[in-house]
Amino acid sequence: MDLDSLLKFTESFKREILEMKLHSDDVRKSFFGLVYSGIYDYYIGKASYQICEYIGTGNVKFDEKIYHFREHAHRLLEIHNIGKLSDGYYGNLNRQITYTVWTSFETTISMIFDFLANEDDKISIIERMNQKIFRAIQTLSQDERRVISNALIKNSFIPLIRKFNFIVKRNPESYTGDIRLDREFLNFTNKMRNCLIHTNGVYYGNDYIYEFLGSEFRFRNGEVFEQRGTNSRDIYLDIAINLKKIIENLMPCISDIPHIGYPDDGQNES
């Protein structure tokens, strides 16, 4: 997406948020506000990169009032002219938009899940996740089983995809996307986000390949994950936009809920 297209997209996105018929502190509206903020920062980053090019070609003029800044502005040329700095600049943009949008997505799904799921629902999910253990402890005494069961229920982490499935199952016929494709996309995005944020790009787990918009992402245990195919630096922007789309696909499943509260941090305002 070129800079002009990204400007139009952010303007359209801003109007979309303003026109949402949801309370300003609703979890769902806050998600779109946070995603807008992440994409806006990405846009500013791309615009700044373009300014660096214009400085280098002499198309940015420094009059006497800001001439003292000229040396610092010319230093920005390094970002555009040195390959490693350019790659690092876009690498930082990609990590930031991935972290911002995925964290917003994960938080939103978790808050909707917590709003909908009661204690019995959560226990049922945890029991299904640990059914081998629950079967194995059937030979123990009732007190021993209770100790193990309580520990599992207290300490088990419910994965995002299970929370997502729980929300969809509330009203599955209303989901507006391809649920199978969207689940697999979330599986891919979770792996990539963990690599980018937690392990310096190194993947740990079963080998996995995912294709998205002409790019092939390869995950091999103990190795830095690879992106092959298109060299488009905007693929991570496209990933962020697709996460936005998945929430849009999910919205009809919970459209009958008038308000899901979100702590007001100002991020949902535009």
Side-chain angles (χ1 to χ4, degrees):
M1 190 182 296
D2 62 28
L3 203 53
D4 290 340
S5 298
L6 187 51
L7 175 61
K8 291 178 182 177
F9 177 84
T10 54
E11 285 300 308
S12 175
F13 191 1
K14 187 192 303 180
R15 289 194 299 273
E16 178 185 337
I17 295 170
L18 292 172
E19 292 169 3
M20 284 182 178
K21 299 186 183 303
L22 289 168
H23 193 280
S24 62
D25 73 347
D26 193 287
V27 167
R28 294 159 290 189
K29 187 167 185 177
S30 292
F31 167 78
F32 291 104
L34 289 165
V35 173
Y36 174 81
S37 177
I39 294 177
Y40 177 82
D41 288 345
Y42 188 90
Y43 163 74
I44 293 298
K46 287 198 70 169
S48 299
Y49 188 85
Q50 186 66 63
I51 289 172
C52 293
E53 181 180 3
Y54 287 147
I55 292 172
T57 56
N59 290 312
V60 175
K61 307 300 180 184
F62 296 91
D63 64 22
E64 57 186 23
K65 292 182 179 179
I66 62 167
Y67 195 79
H68 65 281
F69 188 73
R70 183 172 178 271
E71 184 176 353
H72 300 293
H74 281 183
R75 188 66 184 269
L76 297 176
L77 295 178
E78 293 182 0
I79 295 174
H80 189 269
N81 293 335
I82 300 176
K84 286 189 178 297
L85 289 180
S86 179
D87 291 343
Y89 183 86
Y90 266 92
N92 287 333
L93 286 181
N94 291 334
R95 279 190 294 274
Q96 189 59 41
I97 196 171
T98 301
Y99 175 79
T100 299
V101 176
W102 175 259
T103 301
S104 301
F105 183 94
E106 191 172 34
T107 300
T108 299
I109 293 297
S110 293
M111 294 189 73
I112 295 172
F113 172 81
D114 288 340
F115 181 87
L116 294 173
N118 58 36
E119 198 62 26
D120 288 340
D121 292 326
K122 295 175 182 179
I123 291 172
S124 177
I125 292 172
I126 292 169
E127 288 178 345
R128 289 198 298 274
M129 289 167 50
N130 297 280
Q131 49 187 302
K132 288 184 178 180
I133 296 176
F134 279 102
R135 282 200 300 267
I137 65 175
Q138 289 305 308
T139 57
L140 300 178
S141 69
Q142 184 176 353
D143 287 343
E144 290 173 322
R145 290 200 307 272
R146 185 179 299 111
V147 170
I148 296 173
S149 298
N150 289 343
L152 283 172
I153 290 168
K154 181 179 179 180
N155 298 314
S156 288
F157 170 77
I158 300 177
L160 178 128
I161 194 65
R162 289 182 180 265
K163 295 177 181 179
F164 179 79
N165 288 339
F166 179 87
I167 300 168
V168 172
K169 287 178 180 177
R170 182 176 183 271
N171 198 1
E173 66 278 1
S174 296
Y175 192 82
T176 56
D178 186 316
I179 187 63
R180 182 185 62 82
L181 293 179
D182 286 352
R183 282 193 190 110
E184 193 54 44
F185 180 81
L186 294 179
N187 183 35
F188 151 68
T189 313
N190 190 38
K191 292 179 188 294
M192 186 189 66
R193 182 262 188 187
N194 288 339
C195 289
L196 288 172
I197 305 302
H198 295 307
T199 60
N200 294 319
V202 179
Y203 170 71
Y204 297 99
N206 296 326
D207 289 357
Y208 177 78
I209 295 177
Y210 186 83
E211 294 183 7
F212 181 69
L213 297 182
S215 284
E216 181 182 84
F217 294 84
R218 296 189 175 193
F219 299 82
R220 291 190 172 89
N221 186 45
E223 298 179 10
V224 175
F225 83 93
E226 296 179 80
Q227 177 191 339
R228 297 188 175 186
T230 178
N231 290 319
S232 171
R233 285 171 161 167
D234 286 337
I235 191 71
Y236 295 88
L237 170 64
D238 294 325
I239 289 170
I241 291 172
N242 203 48
L243 285 171
K244 168 183 176 287
K245 178 61 178 174
I246 290 176
I247 289 290
E248 290 172 345
N249 292 339
L250 184 65
M251 291 282 276
C253 299
I254 48 176
S255 61
D256 60 312
I257 302 174
H259 183 234
I260 304 176
Y262 190 100
D264 184 15
D265 58 5
Q267 293 296 318
N268 54 331
E269 297 176 2
S270 301

